[in-house]
Amino acid sequence: MALTEVQVSSSAVVADETAPTRTRAWLRKLHIGVPAGLLLLIFFACFVLPLVAPIPKPTGGDILNSLQPAFTPGHILGTDDNGNDILARILVGGRTSLFVALTVNLLGLVIGGGLGALAAQAGGIVDSIIMRLFDVLIAIPSLALIVAVSLSLGPGVRNTILTLSFFSVPAFARISRAETLRLREQPFMVAARLSGTSTWRIVVRHLAPNIGPQLMTFAMLGLGIVMVIEGALSFLGLGIRPPAPSWGNMIFQGQLSLSGTPMLVVWPSIALFLTVVGFNQLGEAVRLRWSGR
Amino acid sequence: MSEAVLKVENLHVRFEVAGYRVHAVNGLSYQLRAGRTLAIVGESGSGKTVSSRALMGLLPPNATVSGSARIGSVELVGLPEEDMRRHRGADLAMVFQDPTRSLNPTMRIGTQITEAIRAHTRVEPAAAKRRALELLSLVRIPDPNRRFHQYPHQLSGGMRQRVMIAIALAADPKVLIADEATTALDVTTQAQIMELLAELRSRLGTAIILISHDLGLAASYADDVIVMYAGRAVEYAPTRILFAQMRMPYTRALFDAIPRLERESHTLLPVTPGQPPDLTALPAGCPFEPRCPRARPECRDSRPPFVEHEVGHWWACWNPCKDGEQLMTELGV
Amino acid sequence: MSDVATTSPAPRVFSAVLGSPALRLIVKRLLTAIPILLGVSILMFVLLNLIPGSAALQLLGPEATPEQIARLEHDMGLDRPPVERYLEWLWNALQGDLGRSLVSRQPVTDVLPTRLAVTGELVALAFLISLTVAIPLALLAARRPNRFLDRVSMVVSTAGLSVANYVLALLLVLLFAVKLGWFPAIGYTPVSKGLGDNLYSLALPAFAMAFPLLCFYTRFLRGDLVDQMQGEDYVMTARAKGLGPWQVLLRHAFRNSSFGLITIVGLNISGLIGATVIIESIFSLPGIGQYLLQGILTRDYIVVQAIVIIFAIITVLANLMADVLYAVLDPRIRYGTN
């Protein structure tokens, strides 16, 4: 409820300004900056560091070297029960998990987003058929579906990506369809249709730029979600299989010696948590930025 | 002349918004007598709504109120929230602009009325219901028994506003503030609601404050009129006197801008050019000066004081309109 | 303007439900649910037939010869054409026979009641815990927005949503079972052996499931309450009546928020059931989540088919219930508009 209309303009008389303005602008930058910085750090650590820094290999460790505590020379975070360096496994596992999450969301964005928008634009039978198909997928609780699909497709990076797409594509399709439907009724869209603009042009010039931001935000939040689900899948032995590291299967392996060496679970958990927090916060901050202004 | 029910003296309201101080109300003073209707007229941003919300303590936390507003012997400015609550509804009540949004859509209207009753008196549900039904009859809602159990969306706009009036009257307030209460209604309903308010005023002796941007409304239904501009009162007089002779050029401009049938068709509506001043940066002189056709050099240098220049007629202007003068010709229309 | 024809002064919920809108909604949704459930069963059947290595292989182990596998597959009926197997399954399922587990030979429907009871109790406890904490917390936070309690609870709930439930489960086990020994790490005690022990055995898993819900509900409710308190005109009216802040918060804002909350709770049921797959595994609880996982790991496609269908049915019913409840509770929908 606006009680007054404030025209903050420059006038001959000096405006009555209070101090908090500048701090608030700064805080807004931090809101995006901090999670972005955190994620950059994580990406750097997982993708670049293993290539340039002298980090031991994540697999093929000596079993006689197992369960070394942190700060052992050569193993900053210690080793796991197979003698593999934990830090290396976290970094390389992170690389795999991040790669999977990014690809899955990209597939979801492109395929799911595209199909959803198509369904909404086309309407009628096409819409019904497409959405019915997705409804079938959505009717099954996500984790159950993923677990069942992974059974058919098998483990491994490529198959895990395909499996998780069964989750991301319907999710994106739903959002994309809802947003497109909402946009269709806006005056500028109606005008474009009525003036005979070709469908392709409508999609590229009008639709995409307007649903794009929402889908991107959803993708960012989705990155966190997919990382957790991939972790769950690997945790259950169905996603990325050892010896290849993934934060999920590291947590599972650590579970076996939980009482004795809890850090085997804690380190990958922290890595997962920080990454998911980063994605969630960034997604939130971006969403606020795009909708608040 | 009846005793003043509400005395407002030198009211100031300031907001802190996004690092700026907005001076919404700057030294407003008036008196309201029992059984009289006072219209506060002004455009958006003049401070008319803010000043009344300040009386009821309904401003957001970033507002600072200073000055005095006494109802009876109680000083409302600076009153702690718990005490203020006892006066809201019981001494001062408000009817808001949009009855669709001002009523809770998921609560039956009967409950919304009894809630107002029971906020101030300990009564049993049955007694509260009886009183609520009385109030519904008072505001002329047909078939009150049925309406009592209905939800707001089942009523028309005019009826919803009547319900709002019933809610406002529930605890027998001395002052009823109608904040643009008819703006959201169509013209016929508007007239009905205004008639209702007039009738209630004479039956119950409630004093009414009519807040509006519509000078015509004030002319038809108010006993006294205050015109506000940039948070200040710029003219104040009993209605007859004001409309017989408007002194402050702004009042004149407002009056001239009302569309009228008698005017020749296809002539330009005499709208005053420009915008109200930036409330974060008020000038030292008269705030209307940049837009005023009668402006003189002294108008920019110092602010004209709000003084009772003629009996019962106050204004703040260095170069007021003289008797019989037409503002329209001065605008070149 | 015509009024809605309400003849009795206080229409009861019952007649409102039987009146057109809600009933039509239910029937329509149930009708659309049927093809969806059929689709689910077909999808699962297709997927499960793509599995490399059948249940027979699983049972016999990697040392089995191809002939042994073929013979067991024949015994299990796995060598018949898929369409025939599907239709047979469907026919039986519609009569309530979900088949026998390939691994244990037990009829699935025999095992279901006890397992459903375990999962049901777990899910119910999770909702109970999450709502019991979230509602008061959100109310307190919304009462004084942007003050200490509000900021702290928002930060914690936001962070809490970033924690994977299996991670949380393990950390809970680490802290409360291993280090402190307050709760059991695994195992389930049925109610018949004592309610106290039963709740005790479900405490950690229920909390692991409840925590993300708790965070979500707190954030949602607090946001909705604050939006109303700061943005809605009827809140101003309520204050103008002279009502105190708690009265306004509870009688007006919370009342309206509760509809959204109920809908969300209904929609969450599906996700929660999915979560049982992993939580029941970690804590060794004999519920349907664990049953599904076992079925998957042993390639027992009968079990997987059955459980997934049941999951889908629960999801559809839960979503339907959420929508119906909303229609019944929101008076604008219940009584229609002018």
Side-chain angles (χ1 to χ4, degrees):
Chain A
M1 304 177 276
L3 290 174
T4 59
E5 278 154 25
V6 179
Q7 289 139 2
V8 184
S9 55
S10 57
S11 49
V13 181
V14 172
D16 197 357
E17 189 182 304
T18 57
T21 331
R22 248 159 282 133
T23 343
R24 216 162 294 163
W26 216 74
L27 269 170
R28 243 172 270 143
K29 298 234 177 68
L30 261 184
H31 206 206
I32 294 195
V34 167
L38 176 65
L39 285 172
L40 243 90
L41 213 67
I42 294 175
F43 269 90
F44 177 75
C46 292
F47 284 91
V48 177
L49 213 53
L51 299 172
V52 299
I55 294 179
K57 293 177 53 119
T59 54
D62 189 356
I63 195 140
L64 296 172
N65 205 15
S66 63
L67 294 178
Q68 300 281 10
F71 300 115
T72 322
H75 301 287
I76 299 183
L77 294 180
T79 58
D80 69 2
D81 45 354
N82 286 321
N84 295 313
D85 179 60
I86 292 183
L87 179 64
R89 284 181 75 77
I90 288 190
L91 294 182
V92 174
R95 190 171 65 194
T96 315
S97 299
L98 283 168
F99 174 69
V100 168
L102 283 166
T103 318
V104 168
N105 270 287
L106 193 64
L107 282 175
L109 184 66
V110 170
I111 300 179
L115 282 176
L118 177 70
Q121 268 299 86
I125 298 278
V126 177
D127 184 23
S128 292
I129 294 181
I130 295 184
M131 286 332 279
R132 279 282 174 275
L133 289 173
F134 284 132
D135 279 343
V136 167
L137 289 173
I138 292 172
I140 310 175
S142 316
L143 200 60
L145 173 66
I146 297 301
V147 161
V149 170
S150 79
L151 179 61
S152 307
L153 296 179
V157 175
R158 199 190 60 142
N159 290 329
T160 305
I161 292 178
L162 285 173
T163 305
L164 292 172
S165 306
F166 273 74
F167 166 75
S168 69
V169 167
F172 273 96
R174 245 193 172 175
I175 293 258
S176 167
R177 178 175 179 272
E179 284 296 309
T180 309
L181 281 179
R182 191 179 59 86
L183 272 177
R184 272 182 69 108
E185 300 317 312
Q186 300 264 19
F188 75 92
M189 287 293 281
V190 178
R193 277 204 302 281
L194 289 176
S195 65
T197 320
S198 72
T199 319
W200 180 243
R201 228 181 125 74
I202 290 185
V203 168
V204 174
R205 290 293 305 275
H206 298 288
L207 199 59
N210 280 294
I211 63 173
Q214 261 91 324
L215 288 182
M216 287 303 296
T217 317
F218 188 68
M220 252 177 271
L221 295 171
L223 281 168
I225 298 177
V226 171
M227 291 216 66
V228 169
I229 298 185
E230 180 270 313
L233 212 56
S234 306
F235 179 86
L236 294 170
L238 295 164
I240 315 283
R241 283 263 189 87
S246 148
W247 290 340
N249 69 25
M250 286 177 74
I251 296 176
F252 174 71
Q253 273 183 300
Q255 183 192 25
L256 302 173
S257 51
L258 189 60
S259 37
T261 43
M263 293 317 279
L264 291 180
V265 164
V266 172
W267 289 125
S269 301
I270 293 178
L272 183 61
F273 175 68
L274 287 176
T275 313
V276 174
V277 164
F279 283 131
N280 283 349
Q281 284 304 102
L282 188 62
E284 264 303 301
V286 166
R287 187 180 65 86
L288 283 175
R289 235 312 170 78
W290 262 327
S291 65
R293 296 313 169 78
Chain B
M1 182 70 96
S2 43
E3 190 37 61
V5 151
L6 177 66
K7 281 198 192 101
V8 174
E9 245 176 291
N10 203 25
L11 191 68
H12 283 263
V13 180
R14 210 180 64 213
F15 290 97
E16 305 248 337
V17 178
Y20 289 93
R21 281 197 197 92
V22 179
H23 300 277
V25 179
N26 302 294
L28 178 67
S29 306
Y30 60 83
Q31 290 195 10
L32 179 65
R33 299 183 199 293
R36 306 264 297 178
T37 302
L38 170 71
I40 304 184
V41 178
E43 56 192 284
S44 301
S46 57
K48 53 192 199 296
T49 297
V50 173
S51 60
S52 345
R53 302 245 171 124
L55 295 180
M56 294 194 65
L58 287 177
L59 292 172
N62 63 342
T64 318
V65 182
S66 56
S68 162
R70 303 181 80 84
I71 187 158
S73 56
V74 180
E75 172 60 67
L76 295 170
V77 176
L79 199 61
E81 173 66 17
E82 311 86 70
D83 300 313
M84 189 71 236
R85 229 180 290 148
R86 274 182 279 129
H87 296 285
R88 280 190 209 126
D91 291 321
L92 278 164
M94 208 180 232
V95 178
F96 299 94
Q97 177 173 331
D98 188 349
T100 309
R101 298 172 51 105
S102 299
L103 289 171
N104 192 332
T106 60
M107 211 189 249
R108 296 183 203 271
I109 59 168
T111 320
Q112 302 199 43
I113 303 178
T114 53
E115 192 181 38
I117 298 170
R118 301 181 73 184
H120 294 279
T121 16
R122 241 186 249 286
V123 282
E124 280 167 14
K129 180 173 177 181
R130 270 197 305 273
R131 170 98 174 110
L133 291 171
E134 266 170 36
L135 286 163
L136 285 173
S137 310
L138 191 67
V139 296
R140 301 195 172 279
I141 287 188
D143 200 357
N145 267 300
R146 189 163 63 103
R147 297 294 184 186
F148 185 85
H149 295 279
Q150 286 189 333
Y151 289 92
H153 70 274
Q154 293 172 287
L155 274 61
S156 67
M159 277 201 272
R160 281 183 221 138
Q161 197 60 305
R162 291 172 194 272
V163 170
M164 287 295 298
I165 296 174
I167 290 174
L169 294 173
D172 260 326
K174 301 192 186 84
V175 177
L176 179 67
I177 305 175
D179 187 354
E180 304 267 17
T182 53
T183 311
L185 304 170
D186 64 79
V187 184
T188 330
T189 319
Q190 195 176 69
Q192 287 173 349
I193 298 292
M194 293 310 305
E195 294 296 328
L196 175 65
L197 283 176
E199 186 196 319
L200 290 169
R201 189 198 61 185
S202 49
R203 270 177 82 165
L204 304 171
T206 323
I208 298 184
I209 299 181
L210 269 180
I211 300 179
S212 182
H213 57 273
D214 187 350
L215 204 55
L217 200 74
S220 313
Y221 296 101
D223 298 314
D224 304 291
V225 180
I226 290 186
V227 178
M228 284 186 74
Y229 187 77
R232 289 192 169 81
V234 294
E235 194 156 3
Y236 175 29
T239 318
R240 290 177 290 106
I241 299 180
L242 185 79
F243 286 94
Q245 191 51 57
M246 284 166 255
R247 293 290 182 200
M248 212 280 178
Y250 176 63
T251 316
R252 197 70 235 217
L254 266 186
F255 184 73
D256 289 337
I258 299 175
R260 274 191 283 279
L261 284 174
E262 311 88 69
R263 242 197 268 277
E264 255 188 61
S265 39
H266 302 292
T267 48
L268 283 172
L269 199 63
V271 169
T272 313
Q275 297 273 0
D278 181 351
L279 292 171
T280 63
L282 287 170
C286 174
F288 187 58
E289 182 269 331
R291 309 164 72 186
C292 183
R294 297 178 62 83
R296 291 212 293 247
E298 58 262 36
C299 298
R300 193 187 294 220
D301 298 327
S302 59
R303 214 170 8 97
F306 187 63
V307 173
E308 189 173 10
H309 293 279
E310 292 168 6
V311 176
H313 194 166
W314 303 54
W315 64 81
C317 185
W318 292 128
N319 191 16
C321 303
K322 308 265 190 300
D323 284 343
E325 256 180 15
Q326 286 281 60
L327 197 65
M328 275 165 71
T329 45
E330 292 175 21
L331 283 171
V333 174
Chain C
M1 300 215 183
S2 62
D3 308 316
V4 170
T6 49
T7 46
S8 52
R12 295 178 190 283
V13 176
F14 215 61
S15 59
V17 170
L18 288 181
S20 298
L23 190 62
R24 262 190 273 139
L25 178 69
I26 297 178
V27 171
K28 193 172 119 166
R29 290 285 290 274
L30 283 175
L31 284 177
T32 48
I34 295 174
I36 291 181
L37 290 173
L38 269 173
V40 170
S41 66
I42 295 176
L43 173 69
M44 290 315 300
F45 208 81
V46 165
L47 281 177
L48 293 171
N49 274 286
L50 294 176
I51 310 170
S54 65
L57 177 63
Q58 274 294 102
L59 277 176
L60 294 175
E63 261 100 78
T65 65
E67 294 86 37
Q68 286 173 311
I69 298 175
R71 202 168 349 127
L72 186 54
E73 281 180 0
H74 182 75
D75 282 340
M76 287 176 157
L78 289 178
D79 54 352
R80 287 174 300 151
V83 178
E84 182 190 317
R85 282 187 286 137
Y86 174 72
L87 288 172
E88 181 190 338
W89 178 88
L90 186 61
W91 178 242
N92 289 331
L94 287 173
Q95 294 171 15
D97 173 15
L98 289 168
R100 287 173 179 276
S101 156
L102 294 175
V103 173
S104 71
R105 298 331 231 112
Q106 260 185 314
V108 173
T109 36
D110 280 357
V111 171
L112 273 185
T114 27
R115 287 194 173 261
L116 274 173
V118 175
T119 304
E121 190 184 355
L122 181 62
V123 169
L125 279 176
F127 275 124
L128 191 66
I129 295 174
S130 59
L131 287 172
T132 319
V133 175
I135 293 179
L137 191 58
L139 283 170
L140 285 168
R143 170 71 185 87
R144 291 180 204 284
N146 296 321
R147 297 287 193 78
F148 182 69
L149 180 66
D150 183 30
R151 289 206 192 275
V152 166
S153 55
M154 282 304 109
V155 168
V156 171
S157 358
T158 312
L161 284 171
S162 304
V163 177
N165 59 3
Y166 47 96
V167 166
L168 180 66
L170 288 179
L171 293 177
L172 284 174
V173 167
L174 180 63
L175 181 59
F176 289 101
V178 174
K179 291 276 189 273
L180 292 174
W182 288 355
F183 291 100
I186 57 168
Y188 169 76
T189 318
V191 185
S192 49
K193 295 225 172 66
L195 185 61
D197 287 333
N198 167 264
L199 291 176
Y200 199 50
S201 64
L202 286 177
L204 287 185
F207 189 76
M209 297 234 299
F211 188 70
L213 287 181
L214 198 161
C215 295
F216 185 59
Y217 295 152
T218 308
R219 271 183 57 133
F220 167 76
L221 194 55
R222 179 260 180 211
D224 202 53
L225 288 171
V226 169
D227 280 346
Q228 285 190 71
M229 292 297 278
Q230 290 180 346
E232 291 290 350
D233 291 356
Y234 50 81
V235 167
M236 183 68 78
T237 308
R239 292 184 66 202
K241 288 180 196 171
L243 294 176
W246 277 111
Q247 285 172 303
V248 177
L249 191 59
L250 286 167
R251 295 183 55 140
H252 289 268
F254 181 60
R255 180 202 197 90
N256 291 339
S257 294
S258 56
F259 303 152
L261 193 62
I262 290 178
T263 311
I264 289 184
V265 167
L267 296 174
N268 274 156
I269 290 180
S270 166
L272 215 58
I273 291 181
T276 60
V277 170
I278 220 176
I279 297 287
E280 284 177 5
S281 282
I282 295 178
F283 290 95
S284 293
L285 302 172
I288 47 173
Q290 192 210 40
Y291 197 37
L292 175 65
L293 190 60
Q294 276 177 358
I296 289 193
L297 294 175
T298 55
R299 313 283 191 269
D300 192 339
Y301 83 88
I302 297 280
V303 168
V304 176
Q305 185 87 350
I307 301 298
V308 171
I309 281 292
I310 290 177
F311 275 6
I313 292 176
I314 297 178
T315 302
V316 165
L317 287 178
N319 290 353
L320 177 62
M321 193 192 67
D323 284 348
V324 168
L325 221 59
Y326 195 87
V328 165
L329 287 173
D330 188 337
R332 285 167 290 193
I333 304 176
R334 197 186 343 161
Y335 293 104
T337 40
N338 281 335

